[in-house]
Amino acid sequence: MDPEEYRRAAYASIDYIVDYYKTIAERQVVSDVEPGYLRQLLPSEMPQEPESWDDIHKDFDSHIVPGLTHWQSPNFLAFFPANVSFPSILGELYSAAFSAPAFNWICSPAITELETIVLDWLAKQMGLPSEFLSDTEGGGVIQGSASEAVVTTMVAARDRYLRDAIASKYSTEEEKEAAIAAARGKLVAFASDQTHSSTQKAALIAGVKFIAIKTYPEDDYALTGAALAKAFKEAEEKGLLPFYLTASLGTTAICAIDKFVEIGEATKDYPHTWKHIDAAYSGAALICPEYQHYLAGVEYFDSCLYVRKRKYLTDALSITPSYLRNAASDSGLVIDYRDWQIPLGRRFRSLKIWFVMRTYGAKGMQEHVRKTLGIGMHFTKLIQAHPDVFSIATPPRFGLTVFQVVPSKPEETVNDVTMKVANRINNEKVIFLTASTVDGKDCIRVVTGSPWATDKAMSEAFQYILRVSEEERQT
């Protein structure tokens, strides 16, 4: 593809993307394809001769797009908000054009420095303490996902604990190595039973134990300081070493918010235990001042994934073979983000953030958050207006409503009718939502965050849910 062919293809692609978003509400939100459909449509081997872009794009439109789930559709009410905007799409375009692995500053200085700047902008806008800014001992880093953030901090936490809490008690290297080897098998990470599974998976990767702490409805399923203190004590009585904790600002299933202040007070006697906040679900709302009170207690925590002291990441993850050495890195005057993450290479993600921040501004981003959370509350009120059909299962928060369907027949349980409704809705594919189980209760989750979401679309979704629920309660 020569430059002029690329120009024509790019123009056509932009037109296609714009048309896609203009019609996204009319598209069936979930695909009708069956598992393995694509293998039936594509050749078994790569082409030996070049093919035209027109032919490639034709197959993209006829084979790939029909197999997509349309996450940005106003009828996508599942999982969690994963928004896309036109400025972010342009950021992807330029990021691909100026491709660089960006593992150190010299790869492309602008990639590293822009990331530092936009993350400081975001930290200030969210009201994070100054210790998390890059001009202190801390700073932020863009990970590929919240799960990567947990793995990264858990590795740093493990190394810090073994060095500071274990090896520091001994004088010789042999004694230190023996003590570390003995302690490794006793390390245990904690989270609540509502926390995202990424903490348990990180424990598998890090080779440590994991304990989930039970939460209760009277606490709104939040992890409390008392429950944590009890769990730590019980673990120590078994000879285990609490070295890591994930607390949540909005759990995935029900958007539970853990008690940060209580947790901080309960862990004062555990100075070597790393405390991490997973704010993947609700953290974006902190850009609005009215939600920043949820940060109370963040001063007790080590990461979010901003870190209070970046040296713990670099101590655990820094390896510098000769081919990565350069004068800028050796000077200590630049950040090499490869030492803040598991992979070596990284993408130019900060460009997307910069484009979005400048296009929307803080006010525009706040308006988006308030709008989508308002749409979520609109749905909650519709559910609450029909107590004979629906019951709210957990407190609605940050655009998420978790509810059950009330049975009309004595022989049918709430769980049975709720799952009947959820399964029928997803089979009919008018909208897409997810179910979850909370303390033995099967629930339906509805959440939206799409820039294309509206009160009207949510009202139509509710009327459909209501109709299906009423029909299933009678059958």
Side-chain angles (χ1 to χ4, degrees):
M1 183 179 284
D2 65 32
E4 288 308 312
E5 289 174 325
Y6 170 74
R7 189 192 303 275
R8 289 192 295 272
Y11 285 157
S13 297
I14 294 297
D15 286 341
Y16 184 94
I17 290 169
V18 171
D19 290 340
Y20 167 77
Y21 278 105
K22 288 173 73 173
T23 61
I24 194 168
E26 303 162 18
R27 295 173 180 262
Q28 182 172 289
V29 63
V30 180
S31 172
D32 282 325
V33 301
E34 297 292 334
Y37 89 99
L38 195 56
R39 189 173 291 277
Q40 316 256 348
L41 298 175
L42 298 184
S44 58
E45 297 179 358
M46 67 177 290
Q48 297 300 306
E49 300 295 331
E51 298 184 60
S52 73
W53 175 250
D54 287 344
D55 288 341
I56 296 168
H57 195 272
K58 188 183 300 180
D59 286 349
F60 163 77
D61 189 44
S62 62
H63 299 343
I64 305 302
V65 174
L68 297 178
T69 297
H70 302 291
W71 278 64
Q72 302 307 306
S73 168
N75 297 318
F76 183 94
L77 308 175
F79 300 118
F80 47 81
N83 301 339
V84 171
S85 64
F86 290 131
S88 73
I89 295 172
L90 292 173
E92 287 278 12
L93 177 65
Y94 280 111
S95 175
F98 302 124
S99 177
F103 43 77
N104 59 19
W105 181 86
I106 201 65
C107 284
S108 275
I111 295 180
T112 293
E113 296 196 11
L114 186 61
E115 181 161 341
T116 303
I117 290 166
V118 297
L119 289 177
D120 279 350
W121 283 4
L122 185 59
K124 292 173 183 177
Q125 186 65 42
M126 292 192 302
L128 283 177
S130 60
E131 300 95 298
F132 291 101
L133 298 176
S134 66
D135 59 1
T136 67
E137 296 180 271
V141 58
I142 303 172
Q143 300 286 344
S145 68
S147 298
E148 285 184 35
V150 174
V151 173
T152 301
T153 53
M154 190 175 290
V155 169
R158 181 191 62 191
D159 283 18
R160 185 181 77 172
Y161 190 94
L162 292 173
R163 181 182 62 249
D164 295 352
I166 303 298
S168 62
K169 299 177 181 177
Y170 301 90
S171 54
T172 70
E173 287 303 314
E174 287 185 351
E175 289 175 325
K176 290 179 180 180
E177 289 179 8
I180 287 174
R184 276 185 180 274
K186 301 176 183 178
L187 296 177
V188 58
F190 290 83
S192 87
D193 57 357
Q194 299 301 319
T195 303
H196 189 272
S197 59
S198 57
T199 297
Q200 185 174 4
K201 186 170 184 178
L204 289 173
I205 294 169
V208 299
K209 302 180 189 301
F210 172 76
I211 293 176
I213 304 170
K214 184 169 177 55
T215 57
Y216 298 93
E218 55 265 32
D219 300 314
D220 291 340
Y221 297 100
L223 177 61
T224 66
L228 181 63
K230 182 174 180 287
F232 274 19
K233 182 178 179 182
E234 290 174 351
E236 288 180 312
E237 288 172 351
K238 296 175 183 178
L240 300 177
L241 304 172
F243 85 104
Y244 185 90
L245 166 71
T246 297
S248 298
L249 180 59
T251 59
T252 302
I254 61 172
C255 206
I257 298 175
D258 294 335
K259 308 289 188 181
F260 296 159
V261 174
E262 292 183 17
I263 289 169
E265 292 293 327
T267 54
K268 279 186 173 179
D269 293 334
Y270 297 86
H272 302 298
T273 300
W274 189 291
K275 296 175 287 295
H276 174 70
I277 294 176
D278 179 359
Y281 185 97
S282 305
L286 298 177
I287 200 167
C288 299
E290 62 265 33
Y291 298 114
Q292 291 175 7
H293 65 276
Y294 286 108
L295 281 173
V298 71
E299 64 272 11
Y300 292 107
F301 286 78
D302 296 278
S303 57
C304 51
L305 197 260
Y306 286 83
V307 289
R308 186 179 300 282
K309 291 192 176 181
R310 56 182 176 262
K311 76 175 293 291
Y312 294 127
L313 288 182
T314 57
D315 285 351
L317 300 170
S318 179
I319 297 177
T320 308
S322 58
Y323 55 82
L324 293 181
R325 296 196 62 178
N326 62 86
S329 297
D330 290 346
S331 72
L333 298 177
V334 301
I335 289 175
D336 286 339
Y337 281 118
R338 74 169 190 274
D339 298 331
W340 298 44
Q341 62 176 29
I342 303 299
L344 175 64
R346 54 204 331 274
R347 297 172 52 223
F348 198 179
R349 297 186 184 96
S350 58
L351 192 64
K352 292 176 64 176
I353 299 174
W354 192 53
F355 282 3
V356 170
M357 284 179 163
R358 294 194 61 187
T359 303
Y360 281 81
K363 289 183 178 179
M365 296 172 76
Q366 290 167 346
E367 287 171 3
H368 169 71
V369 169
R370 290 166 181 149
K371 172 198 165 191
T372 52
L373 297 194
I375 292 171
M377 183 53 63
H378 171 65
F379 182 84
T380 296
K381 290 177 180 177
L382 293 172
I383 289 288
Q384 291 172 330
H386 292 76
D388 56 323
V389 183
F390 304 111
S391 62
I392 298 289
T394 62
R397 286 198 185 103
F398 293 105
L400 174 66
T401 307
V402 182
F403 63 96
Q404 293 182 292
V405 182
V406 178
S408 61
K409 295 178 289 187
E411 67 272 17
E412 195 163 42
T413 68
V414 174
N415 283 1
D416 289 340
V417 70
T418 298
M419 290 311 299
K420 271 177 32 178
V421 169
N423 291 334
R424 177 177 160 184
I425 288 172
N426 282 340
N427 286 336
E428 292 182 355
K429 301 176 181 178
V430 175
I431 60 175
F432 182 42
L433 45 75
T434 44
S436 63
T437 301
V438 184
D439 208 15
K441 298 186 294 186
D442 290 331
C443 304
I444 293 173
R445 302 170 69 260
V446 166
V447 64
T448 187
S450 167
W452 287 268
T454 62
D455 280 345
K456 179 176 181 292
M458 191 59 90
S459 295
E460 291 172 352
F462 171 77
Q463 290 300 326
Y464 171 68
I465 294 170
L466 177 63
R467 177 175 63 79
V468 171
S469 299
E470 289 178 330
E471 290 175 358
E472 289 300 320
R473 292 169 75 235
Q474 302 305 319
T475 58

